[in-house]
Amino acid sequence: MNDIEMMMTMKAQISAVHRELYKVICQYGEVDAVLKSSIYFRDLQLETFPTVGDFVEIEYNPNGPSRIIKTLERKTYFSRKDPDEGKGEQAVAANFDYVFIVTSMNYDFNVKRMERYLTVAWQSGAQPVIILTKADLVEDFNVYIDELEAIAIGVDIIPISSKTGYGLEQLEPYVKEGKTIVFLGSSGVGKSSLLNALAGDEIMETSGIREDDSKGHHTTTHRQLIRLKSGAVIIDTPGMRELGMWDISVGLGEAFGEIEELILGCKFSDCTHKNEPGCKINEALESGMLQRDRWERYLKLKKEARYSENKEAYFKAAKEAGKSYAKFKKSNKNKR
């Protein structure tokens, strides 16, 4: 290989992330790569840090790690609050068509958590699909489907068993050439077993759920891209029991569409949904059409969305609210 080929710039895709080291797929196969410091680590950052699924430009080096010099535009993308720093954004995956939200039909099943996953999935711009695993261990999975249909309007819910193969044929329309799927779900819900079943091979280590508390063991330790024989691509992610949301302003409207539709029907555009006449939210709560716990979960996630949209304004408002409350308490104390 001559010097010109050694300095060649080419397109590649991130296939795995191991802290500072990246695996990328380019015309020469899968190679190691690192970020070019002068581009990604300047005071004025020029490029978005890449994640699994991202297409990038690299300076190819056949004698060592290639250098990533540009992150190309993403068609879909989602991120979460950085679990290590406690603040800031951590990219999770990019450029996927479907989000397989994987949950098992046991004690790990949690509607509240599923609402959060759905919100993030819709926010990404991709189509969510709920996969209910371990169908061979339950007598009637329709109980779980009925519970999810109330919160996942327009989302396919597919019960499967990676062990017996039940339901896997229903995934064929999604897992075909040219399509990319990202897996989301807590540890131990069966993501690795599902991936092995779709691949027709034991390509991922699996670990069951502890029987005493239904908590899973981490088998996926880093984000990685896996190509199936069908030509589909799977992006597997480490199990995330708690999904700290970053920007969910769009996804919230999709995940809680019936609530936002009710809000649009309120008599007053600035309705606080407390004591105003013509409030559709209060009418729905009183009639039972809207469950109070779902409304409260919406308000909680709305608060997170408001924080993500304008963090500076959020903290300013919170500070002013704190001052007002302190003033109110002081005023009441002086009246006694």
Side-chain angles (χ1 to χ4, degrees):
M1 184 174 290
N2 57 41
D3 292 340
I4 295 176
E5 289 177 310
M6 289 176 64
M7 297 298 292
M8 188 182 296
T9 298
M10 65 186 67
K11 185 178 178 180
Q13 186 175 25
I14 305 291
S15 58
V17 178
H18 304 270
R19 295 189 178 274
E20 290 82 17
L21 184 66
Y22 294 79
K23 293 283 188 181
V24 303
I25 300 172
C26 67
Q27 66 188 62
Y28 294 113
E30 187 174 64
V31 301
D32 292 338
V34 295
L35 300 176
K36 188 170 183 178
S37 298
S38 61
I39 294 176
Y40 285 92
F41 296 102
R42 292 177 57 175
D43 291 337
L44 206 60
Q45 185 184 332
L46 300 178
E47 289 293 333
T48 301
F49 285 100
T51 187
V52 173
D54 265 323
F55 291 98
V56 296
E57 285 185 6
I58 64 170
E59 291 177 345
Y60 178 71
N61 179 7
N63 301 316
S66 299
R67 293 194 297 180
I68 300 170
I69 60 174
K70 184 176 181 60
T71 305
L72 302 181
E73 186 178 354
R74 296 160 170 163
K75 68 174 183 179
T76 54
Y77 162 72
F78 77 82
S79 61
R80 63 172 178 170
K81 293 177 186 175
D82 193 317
D84 295 323
E85 296 182 9
K87 58 182 179 179
E89 182 181 16
Q90 181 195 57
V92 178
N95 296 315
F96 43 87
D97 301 285
Y98 303 108
V99 181
F100 276 13
I101 303 173
V102 185
T103 187
S104 57
M105 290 181 278
N106 62 0
Y107 296 118
D108 183 81
F109 184 82
N110 185 304
V111 170
K112 180 180 177 182
R113 191 185 309 127
M114 294 300 288
E115 285 176 331
R116 297 176 72 85
Y117 280 130
L118 281 166
T119 301
V120 170
W122 283 120
Q123 179 71 30
S124 74
Q127 174 69 40
V129 181
I130 296 176
I131 310 297
L132 292 171
T133 64
K134 307 184 188 297
D136 54 302
L137 300 181
V138 296
E139 291 185 5
D140 184 10
F141 48 71
N142 287 305
V143 174
Y144 297 90
I145 294 175
D146 290 344
E147 199 167 350
L148 288 173
E149 282 181 340
I151 67 160
I153 300 168
V155 177
D156 285 344
I157 303 168
I158 303 174
I160 63 105
S161 170
S162 300
K163 183 178 180 180
T164 67
Y166 175 84
L168 293 179
E169 72 283 353
Q170 295 186 60
L171 302 182
E172 290 177 4
Y174 305 102
V175 188
K176 58 185 180 181
E177 187 171 1
K179 297 299 181 181
T180 299
I181 302 101
V182 63
F183 281 9
L184 283 184
S186 302
S187 303
V189 298
K191 298 196 306 296
S192 296
S193 296
L194 173 57
L195 201 156
N196 288 341
L198 292 174
D201 196 3
E202 293 293 316
I203 61 175
M204 294 290 292
E205 180 185 352
T206 60
S207 178
I209 291 179
R210 297 193 297 262
E211 293 183 2
D212 55 346
D213 60 3
S214 281
K215 298 293 179 63
H217 301 282
H218 292 278
T219 52
T220 303
T221 57
H222 59 275
R223 299 183 298 283
Q224 58 188 318
L225 183 150
I226 299 161
R227 191 173 299 277
L228 303 181
K229 295 174 184 177
S230 66
V233 170
I234 303 291
I235 299 177
D236 195 19
T237 61
M240 294 181 288
R241 181 164 295 277
E242 294 302 328
L243 186 64
M245 295 187 178
W246 184 249
D247 182 2
I248 55 170
S249 52
V250 174
L252 194 65
E254 296 284 355
F256 292 84
E258 85 284 14
I259 290 180
E260 300 220 336
E261 189 173 339
L262 286 170
I263 290 172
L264 288 174
C266 287
K267 183 176 181 180
F268 301 106
S269 60
D270 60 348
C271 184
T272 64
H273 318 298
K274 293 179 180 177
N275 301 311
E276 294 92 340
C279 174
K280 295 300 181 182
I281 291 294
N282 284 329
E283 290 178 9
L285 289 170
E286 290 171 7
S287 69
M289 186 176 76
L290 174 61
Q291 298 299 312
R292 186 163 295 277
D293 60 346
R294 180 159 167 82
W295 168 241
E296 290 173 352
R297 291 196 298 270
Y298 169 82
L299 291 177
K300 183 179 179 181
L301 293 179
K302 187 72 173 177
K303 185 177 180 180
E304 291 189 42
R306 193 160 58 245
Y307 165 76
S308 70
E309 289 168 357
N310 191 336
K311 297 172 180 61
E312 185 178 349
Y314 176 89
F315 282 120
K316 183 178 179 181
K319 187 175 181 180
E320 291 301 319
K323 285 181 180 178
S324 298
Y325 180 66
K327 188 176 181 180
F328 170 77
K329 284 187 69 177
K330 184 177 181 180
S331 174
N332 277 5
K333 186 177 180 181
N334 292 337
K335 290 177 182 178
R336 292 176 182 172

